[in-house]
Amino acid sequence: AYYCQCAYDLALQYWSYCLDLSLNLSDDEAFIQANIGLGKIYFSHDDFAAALEHHRQAAEYLPAIKNEKLIASLLINLGSDYLSLSQYDEALKALQDGLLYARKINHTEYISEALCLIGQVQWALGQRELAQCSLLAALKINKQLKNQWCLANNYLALGKISIAEGNEQLASKYLKQ
C-alpha cells in the first residue's frame, strides 16, 4: 500500500523487514516477494540496476517454489528491468517466460503487462509488426480490465511507435487517450 501511495521510504522499510523475516523463517516465497517489492521501489526511482539485482536475487529461489503467479510476477519484473537497461534479448526471454506462466494461470493483468513490455522490446529489436500486434493485444485486454495504468503505458508505447513511423495523426489519437 505504501508503494502505491508513493510513500517509498516506508515501503522500503517494510519490504526490508519482510526480507529479513523471510530469511529468519526460511520462507522462499516471502523472500521472492520481498525482493520483488524492493526491486519495484528502486525501479520507480529509475535505479534499474539495483532493481535488477533484487529481482535476480529473487530468481535464485525460483526452483524452490511452485507458486506460478509469483513466478510470473518475478519474470515480468525481470523483463521490465532488462528492457529499461536496453538488454533486449534478456528482456524478451524473461517476458516470454512470464507470459507463459501468466497464461497458464489465466492471470489477465499479467498477460497484458507482459504483452505490452514484449511489444516495446520487439520494437527496440526492429520487429515492428510483431510489436504492433503485441501492443494491440495488450491494449484490448487492458480495455476489458479497465486497467488505467496499463492502458496509459499501452497508449504511450503505441504513440511513440506512431511518431517514429511518421504517423502524427495516429500518434495524437493514442497520446490523447
Side-chain angles (χ1 to χ4, degrees), residues 11 14 16 22 24 26 31 41 43 64 74 83 99 104 112-113 121 129 137 142 145 149 166 170 172:
Y14 281 108
S16 295
S22 71
N24 290 335
S26 298
F31 178 83
I41 292 168
F43 190 94
L74 177 58
L83 171 61
L99 179 59
K104 185 175 180 182
S112 68
E113 186 176 358
V121 171
E129 288 181 26
N142 285 319
L145 295 174
W149 176 255
L170 186 57
S172 179

Side-chain angles (χ1 to χ4, degrees), residues 13-32:
Q13 287 176 347
Y14 281 108
W15 280 124
S16 295
Y17 174 74
C18 290
L19 184 62
D20 291 342
L21 190 59
S22 71
L23 290 168
N24 290 335
L25 297 174
S26 298
D27 185 334
D28 296 332
E29 286 192 16
F31 178 83
I32 292 169

Side-chain angles (χ1 to χ4, degrees), residues 9 14 30 39 46-47 54 63 68 78 83 88 91-92 94 113 117 121 138-139 150 156-157 172:
D9 290 339
Y14 281 108
D46 294 336
D47 190 346
H54 279 284
E68 294 173 338
L78 277 166
L83 171 61
Y88 303 123
L92 191 57
E113 186 176 358
L117 291 167
V121 171
L139 183 63
C150 289
L156 181 60
S172 179

Side-chain angles (χ1 to χ4, degrees), residues 92-121:
L92 191 57
K93 171 75 172 112
L95 291 166
Q96 288 173 334
D97 289 347
L99 179 59
L100 286 174
Y101 278 99
R103 284 184 169 150
K104 185 175 180 182
I105 60 171
N106 197 32
H107 195 295
T108 51
E109 186 174 331
Y110 286 178
I111 292 168
S112 68
E113 186 176 358
L115 285 169
C116 184
L117 291 167
I118 286 170
Q120 293 172 60
V121 171

